[in-house]
Amino acid sequence: MVETAPEGKVNQGTKLMVALAAIGLVVMFASSVFHRLESPSRKEFLGQPRQSASQGMPGQQDMSEMGKLMAALREKPDDPQANLDIAKAFMRMQEAERAEVFLQRALEADPNNIEALRLLAMAAFQAQQHEQAAQTLMRLLAKRPDDAGAHFNLAVLYSHYLNDAQKADFHMRKAREHAEGDPQLLEMIEREAKAHDN
C-alpha cells in the first residue's frame, strides 16, 4: 500500500509552488522592464493592438496589474482565463516567449479557446517563428473556418514570410469573403492588396 500525504500538505505544497511561480514571474517582469528600456521593440503581428504612447514603458501600474493577475492565478491555477489574462499582459509588454507559457496552459485547460490560439500565433510571429504562427492559425481555422482575421494573417504570412503566393491568394480571398461588416479589416485587406499589386 502506498502512503499519500495528508490533503492539507498537498494543498500547502500546491500553494507554495504557485507562490514561487508568482515570485519568479514578478522577477521576470522586473527584468523585462529593464530589458525593454535597453532594447528596441520587436515587430508586431498584423492586427495586434499596439501599446499607445500614453501608456509609455511598463512601470508601476503594470506591476500592480501583474500582481493582481498573479493573485487570481494563485486562486485558480488551472483557470484558462487567469492564464490568458497573464499572457495578454506579457503580450502588451512584447514578451512573447513569456506569454507563450501561459497561452499553452490556457489551451491545455480549454483547447477550443480561439483568443488563446490567436495570441499564440502572434507570439510565434513576434519570435519570428513564421511556420509555427501559420500552423497555429490553421488550428484556429479548423475550429472557426470563417475567421477573417486568421485568414488575413495567414495571407500576410504566406505572402511576406513563407513565400507561397498560392496560399497567400487563397487566404486573402477567404479574408475578404468573411470580412463583411468589419470595415477596419476590409481596409487592411485593401491596403495589403494594393501593396501586393505594386
Side-chain angles (χ1 to χ4, degrees), residues 17 60 92 99 101 108 121 165 189:
M17 290 302 292
Q60 189 64 33
R92 282 192 299 274
V101 172
E108 285 171 14
I189 290 169

Side-chain angles (χ1 to χ4, degrees), residues 45-49 84 91 103 107 112-125 133 136-141 144 146-153 185:
F45 194 62
L46 215 53
Q48 178 181 357
L84 189 58
M91 290 296 288
L103 292 167
L107 286 166
N112 295 317
N113 191 313
I114 298 298
E115 187 175 11
L117 285 168
R118 190 179 318 281
L119 288 172
L120 190 59
M122 288 180 189
F125 179 83
T136 303
L137 288 167
M138 291 303 294
R139 282 174 58 196
L140 188 159
L141 286 173
R144 188 184 287 174
D146 61 348
D147 191 300
H151 281 293
F152 177 74
N153 284 332
L185 183 55

Side-chain angles (χ1 to χ4, degrees), residues 151-179:
H151 281 293
F152 177 74
N153 284 332
L154 275 167
V156 171
L157 280 167
Y158 284 123
S159 177
H160 298 286
Y161 299 96
L162 299 175
N163 300 319
D164 191 328
Q166 187 176 4
K167 287 183 180 179
D169 290 342
F170 170 80
H171 286 290
M172 191 59 76
R173 282 193 309 274
K174 287 292 190 181
R176 186 176 283 117
E177 177 184 321
H178 296 299

